Amino acid sequence: MVRTATDILFFDLPTALPGGIAISPWTIRVKLAMDYKRLSYTVQNVEFGDIERVCRENNLPPTGTHPDGSPYFTLPAIIDRTGSPAVEPRRISDSLKIMEYLDVTYLDSDKPIFPSIHDGVGFTSIHVLASSKFGDALYPSLRPLIMEKVYEVQTEKSKEPWRTRHETLYKRTLAELGAGPAGSDSREKAWAEAEKMFEDVGKSMDVHEHDDNQRFTALGPVIGRLVRAYQGHRWLMGDKPTYADFVLVSFLGMVKLVDPEDGWVRISSWSGGRWGRNVAEMEKLLR
Ligand SMILES: N[C@@H](CCC(=O)N[C@@H](CS)C(=O)NCC(=O)O)C(=O)O
């Protein structure tokens, strides 16, 4: 597949997994969006402990502040030098800001990440609100189950900075943050709680299908079924993935990468297989 030529440098966080593949859901979602929009880009890998230094060296803005008021730097970040020197390089951090920038700058009306930007209907905030369901509900339910796996796949250089950052952030040791050893009651309980959370979120995503069922039923059972099959409704807004879908698949993709044999086998079977299908559909789309 031909890509749109750009001069985008993408700052990513490598792991010790084959090919150094990144597992951060924040970097994954941006790469999924760039791959979906068929943008070319170059990756610069940054070890976890070097994030602040690399961001400062490259004039990449902070995305927040530490409790002591000092700037907090995170990845992903990009420098887009497309059109340089006529156009000043754009230096952007924060996955949401990057995805908005890419959608506005590389306006492919066939592949909107935020349809609101393209058709002027609605607001980006609607997409952000929808995605917060995944970040606020699904991800916290998974965290105790995958935390240690995420630590294990860090590069040797990133392991200690990563551990220190997360233990400081959550004010608990890595072992305390985990749900307990494989097969333990506490871990199985955490899996059951996560499944319940996924089921609930999955059901709330079915609402528009339900609406359409009613609408299409009026067309008669056969036509209604055909239209529904044609529509597919694989994604939150219909037949194409948009912002919240990239956010969802970034969390699911992380589990698939760090815990393929247990966590991902479980999750991909939940909610009648919808989560497994989401990832498979995205992989198919990006091939
Ligand atoms: N709001 C940011 C959050 C990104 C984020 O938290 N990135 C983590 C990596 S997964 C990070 O860079 N952490 C650096 C640190 O905590 O020192 C975004 O959406 O891009």
Side-chain angles (χ1 to χ4, degrees), residues 189-254:
K189 189 163 166 271
W191 276 120
E193 281 165 11
E195 179 171 5
K196 167 87 177 57
M197 191 62 84
F198 273 73
E199 288 289 339
D200 289 348
V201 173
K203 277 191 199 129
S204 72
M205 290 162 73
D206 280 340
V207 169
H208 77 240
E209 266 176 49
H210 172 73
D211 291 347
D212 280 354
N213 282 349
Q214 286 178 343
R215 193 147 47 91
F216 295 141
T217 305
L219 295 172
V222 176
I223 297 177
R225 217 175 301 137
L226 277 176
V227 173
R228 277 203 301 279
Y230 175 72
Q231 291 277 100
H233 272 163
R234 281 180 282 257
W235 305 107
L236 215 57
M237 291 198 64
D239 63 348
K240 288 178 186 173
T242 55
Y243 178 70
D245 297 302
F246 290 104
V247 172
L248 171 66
V249 174
S250 72
F251 287 122
L252 299 174
M254 173 184 58

Side-chain angles (χ1 to χ4, degrees), residues 13 24 26 48 51 72-76 94-95 165:
L13 293 159
S24 156
W26 288 272
F48 195 86
I51 294 174
Y72 177 44
F73 294 89
T74 58
L75 295 184
D94 192 87
S95 57
R165 152 74 61 235

Side-chain angles (χ1 to χ4, degrees), residues 13 23-27 29-30 48 51-52 63 66 72-77 93-98 161-162 165-166 169 243:
L13 293 159
I23 53 143
S24 156
W26 288 272
T27 77
R29 66 189 62 171
V30 179
F48 195 86
I51 294 174
E52 176 165 347
T63 57
H66 285 289
Y72 177 44
F73 294 89
T74 58
L75 295 184
S93 1
D94 192 87
S95 57
L96 172 59
K97 286 191 185 144
I98 298 170
W162 189 94
R165 152 74 61 235
H166 290 84
L169 190 66
Y243 178 70

Side-chain angles (χ1 to χ4, degrees), residues 138 141-142 145 188 190-199 252 262-277:
L138 299 187
S141 76
L142 288 176
L145 292 155
E188 287 309 313
W191 276 120
E193 281 165 11
E195 179 171 5
K196 167 87 177 57
M197 191 62 84
F198 273 73
E199 288 289 339
L252 299 174
D262 182 18
W264 181 240
V265 173
R266 293 178 193 244
I267 294 172
S268 50
S269 76
W270 292 347
S271 305
R274 88 176 303 147
W275 314 109
R277 277 197 301 278

